[in-house]
Amino acid sequence: MEPLDAAADVHALIRDLLPVVAPSAWFDHGTAEVVLPVGRSEARASTWTALERCAREPRETWPGVVDEWVREVGQRAFLAVGEMELFGDVRELLRLRIVPKLAPRDREGLVVVPAGDHFDAMVMIEHPRYGGPLTKARAGLLGLRKLGYVMTNTHDRELADVSVRDQPLLPGRDVRVVTKPGSRYVSALLSEVEQFLPGPNRHGALVGVPCHSTLLLYPITSTAVLEVLPVFADVVKEMHADADDPCAPGVYWSHGERRLTPLAGAADTPAPGEFASLLMRLPDFP
């Protein structure tokens, strides 16, 4: 039997059992989910697991199979209540952390979305003892679904007080440093480097994110970038090697619609085609 063939009878059993096993829960027919109140939020459990189990068993055993599944769902809700009591409103603790692109096996089970071609955006629970990456299982347990507010949390609670300063890199050539010592989230500003560059900025900038507390920026205005790039790359590499919370060791060209193109730091290494084309159009440095 296919799971969907059992849906009508299994859902009827769930509706009958909920008042006995989980009195505060209710069945959402529209989404085929059991909904359990969790503090000011709610936990939801799809009935698909129950349907699959029943489809594999004789019909006369379905009441017992469904009873066991409903009790499992209730236990999950109990654990969720414990976590909500531990964290308070966990939504207030969610942050966005930008990390170098994860391998597929490292992404499994985590709430992660691509942040361009070279980085991922990982949702974190910011808590000194019980924090860490938000897993899909934990998100379901806590009833966390739409997470568009996470970047706002990160900006307002972590990045409002970043410091911005210019620091000499070469004689007459400064690097712009965007930093907050000890922070794990300054790397989240990778998609917003334009706000830290002098305008108008037509050619983009060299960008380094050696650690999660610091961005390094060099606005590209002339062929002086050829002189700056090897030194800039060495600084990024050294800071990455020495960092307590390293991010990425390479250099990127930020340009266009929040695009990041990797650049090699060696002066004798051919530049990517688009960057090489830019170099031909730049004015000579004084």
Side-chain angles (χ1 to χ4, degrees):
M1 178 182 292
E2 294 298 321
L4 288 178
D5 295 333
D9 291 338
V10 171
H11 288 166
L13 286 170
I14 290 173
R15 285 192 293 268
D16 290 342
L17 280 169
L18 284 179
V20 178
V21 179
S24 64
W26 54 281
F27 178 67
D28 186 337
H29 180 77
T31 61
E33 294 174 316
V34 170
V35 184
L36 301 104
V38 181
R40 289 173 288 178
S41 186
E42 59 187 24
R44 287 176 170 260
S46 168
T47 61
W48 187 254
T49 299
L51 297 180
E52 286 184 318
R53 292 179 184 177
C54 287
R56 295 194 297 264
E57 301 295 335
R59 184 177 294 270
E60 61 269 18
T61 67
W62 287 5
V65 173
V66 172
D67 180 86
E68 180 181 5
W69 179 80
V70 171
R71 292 182 188 278
E72 288 178 10
V73 170
Q75 181 63 24
R76 286 180 59 199
F78 174 78
L79 293 173
V81 169
E83 290 226 318
M84 292 298 280
E85 290 177 348
L86 179 67
F87 291 128
D89 187 349
V90 71
R91 291 168 295 189
E92 299 294 323
L93 302 179
L94 297 182
R95 306 287 188 267
L96 198 67
R97 179 170 157 98
I98 299 296
V99 299
K101 185 71 71 176
L102 297 171
R105 65 180 180 277
D106 295 327
R107 298 171 63 92
E108 290 180 4
L110 298 179
V111 180
V112 176
V113 296
D117 295 332
H118 310 290
F119 292 87
D120 282 325
M122 178 187 298
V123 179
M124 306 286 292
I125 297 178
E126 178 60 24
H127 190 281
R129 184 172 180 183
Y130 301 106
L134 179 67
T135 63
K136 293 177 181 177
R138 204 176 202 183
L141 196 67
L142 297 172
L144 301 173
R145 290 179 175 268
K146 296 180 179 179
L147 298 174
Y149 56 86
V150 176
M151 191 60 190
T152 301
N153 280 1
T154 308
H155 270 284
D156 294 349
R157 302 169 191 271
E158 305 292 340
L159 302 176
D161 57 347
V162 296
S163 67
V164 182
R165 67 177 187 271
D166 289 334
Q167 187 168 308
L169 185 67
L170 289 170
R173 311 293 177 201
D174 291 344
V175 62
R176 182 150 293 181
V177 182
V178 182
T179 188
K180 181 179 178 181
S183 173
R184 303 194 297 165
Y185 302 106
V186 175
S187 55
L189 294 171
L190 259 178
S191 63
E192 303 173 46
V193 297
E194 295 87 355
Q195 67 176 299
F196 301 106
L197 300 176
N201 182 259
R202 296 189 297 120
H203 306 303
L206 302 182
V207 177
V209 53
C211 54
H212 288 282
S213 64
T214 302
L215 290 180
L216 301 179
L217 310 174
Y218 178 78
I220 298 173
T221 58
S222 72
T223 54
V225 67
L226 290 172
E227 178 186 19
V228 169
L229 179 55
V231 181
F232 188 95
D234 286 344
V235 170
V236 172
K237 186 175 180 180
E238 290 172 7
M239 289 182 64
H240 179 269
D242 294 339
D244 293 328
D245 190 16
C247 185
V251 178
Y252 300 85
W253 172 35
S254 173
H255 60 111
E257 294 295 323
R258 300 183 177 182
R259 292 173 58 198
L260 291 174
T261 299
L263 299 177
D268 57 352
T269 301
E274 198 171 1
F275 188 68
S277 177
L278 169 71
L279 295 175
M280 296 177 64
R281 303 193 309 269
L282 290 174
D284 291 336
F285 64 90

